[in-house]
Every structure is written in structure tokens, then in C-alpha cells.
Amino acid sequence: MAALTPGTTAPGIALKDTNGKEMALSVGLKKGPVLAAFFKVSCPTCQFTLPFLERMYEMYGGSNVTFLGISQDDARDTREFMKEFGIRFPVLVDDHGYPTSNQYGLTNVPTTFLISPDGKIQISAVGFSKADLEDMAAAAARATGKAATPLFKPGEVVPDYKPG
């Protein structure tokens, strides 16, 4: 089963964060689009991708755009990952059989979804996709009313794609 594609209604997400506080997709969607990034702490492509998502969060996260990491590891390992890779946006825990990951049809991580306020998946990216992340950043900029800023800095060596 492939990851859910654009135009599909996103399944609900209600998981606890790394500190045990429950968070829900529906709350974020009331404010604007939600970027949901599924990952595993041991995945090299996830380790490469999530710092770019953190950069996007620093540029556009806040009142109009919600960023949610969804870890397939336990809270302790996830907290260590967040510290090591400088992740400050909220991260939820989907361990014990990955029920939420399964609802989203995940076959690989990272898989990132941009979900529009109407609950439909706008962009779906499996692995690291430079173009998809740029599209997500542009959508986040539009949602915040900020001018789009390049996600990737001049001189950074960033491949177009890295499989998960």
C-alpha cells in the first residue's frame, strides 16, 4: 500500500507528544495547514530530512501553520533524537504497532504530508524530495502571509531526492 496521495482526506491523528500530552490534527487544522512528518530515529534519510523541516518550522511555524513530527519510536529515544538534531517542533509518538502510520499507508520513512485546513492532503512526499519540501515551504509562506524564503541555502549540497 502506498502512502496516501494528494486529494485524499487525511485520517485523524490523536497521539501523545514526547512528554505525554495528547495532541490532535483537528486542533492544528483549525489554525491552518498542518505539516505532518513521519519518521524513525534510526533512519539516515530521516536524520537528513528533519533538520530541514526544523528550518521550515523556524521560518513559518506558529499561529497559521502547525508542524507535527510523528515518531515510530518510544518517547525516550524520540527526545534524544530531537535533542541531537535540534528539533523543536512538537513530535508525537506512534509506537506499538504504528496505528497512525498504518492509516496513512506508510511504506517508508520519512514520509511528509502537507494537509490543508479542509483536511485534504495537499502534498505527499516519501523519502527526501527537495522539490516537495520547497513546495511545502512555499505553501507555508502563503498561509502565514510571509514572503517565501529559500529553504535551501546557497552552497548547501542537497540532493534532489534521497529514498527513505
Side-chain angles (χ1 to χ4, degrees):
M1 178 196 242
L4 297 179
T5 56
T8 306
T9 299
I13 297 173
L15 296 168
K16 292 183 179 173
D17 68 12
T18 57
N19 297 313
K21 179 184 173 198
E22 185 152 317
M23 297 182 74
L25 172 65
S26 59
V27 173
L29 291 175
K30 289 177 185 172
K31 298 187 255 179
V34 173
L35 188 142
F38 291 79
F39 70 97
K40 282 192 83 55
V41 301
S42 60
C43 160
T45 304
C46 300
Q47 295 167 2
F48 180 79
T49 304
L50 263 64
F52 289 115
L53 296 178
E54 174 63 28
R55 185 182 292 175
M56 195 186 311
Y57 170 71
E58 290 170 10
M59 295 182 335
Y60 305 116
S63 61
N64 295 350
V65 181
T66 301
F67 284 70
L68 294 175
I70 298 144
S71 173
Q72 294 180 337
D73 294 281
D74 66 28
R76 182 183 56 82
D77 290 346
T78 300
R79 281 191 300 271
E80 288 175 15
F81 176 90
M82 293 170 66
K83 184 177 179 183
E84 180 177 351
F85 291 95
I87 307 306
R88 294 182 305 176
F89 55 83
V91 175
L92 311 179
V93 177
D94 185 33
D95 61 358
H96 307 297
Y98 317 131
T100 302
S101 298
N102 292 333
Q103 285 185 303
Y104 277 76
L106 265 62
T107 56
N108 298 71
V109 286
T111 297
T112 307
F113 299 95
L114 181 66
I115 304 166
S116 61
D118 67 1
K120 300 268 190 221
I121 294 172
Q122 189 175 341
I123 301 171
S124 174
V126 179
F128 173 86
S129 168
K130 185 177 182 181
D132 287 338
L133 290 183
E134 289 172 324
D135 289 346
M136 289 179 189
R142 284 190 300 277
T144 62
K146 294 180 181 178
T149 304
L151 181 60
F152 303 102
K153 297 177 180 172
E156 275 184 324
V157 178
V158 179
D160 289 334
Y161 180 74
K162 254 178 117 94

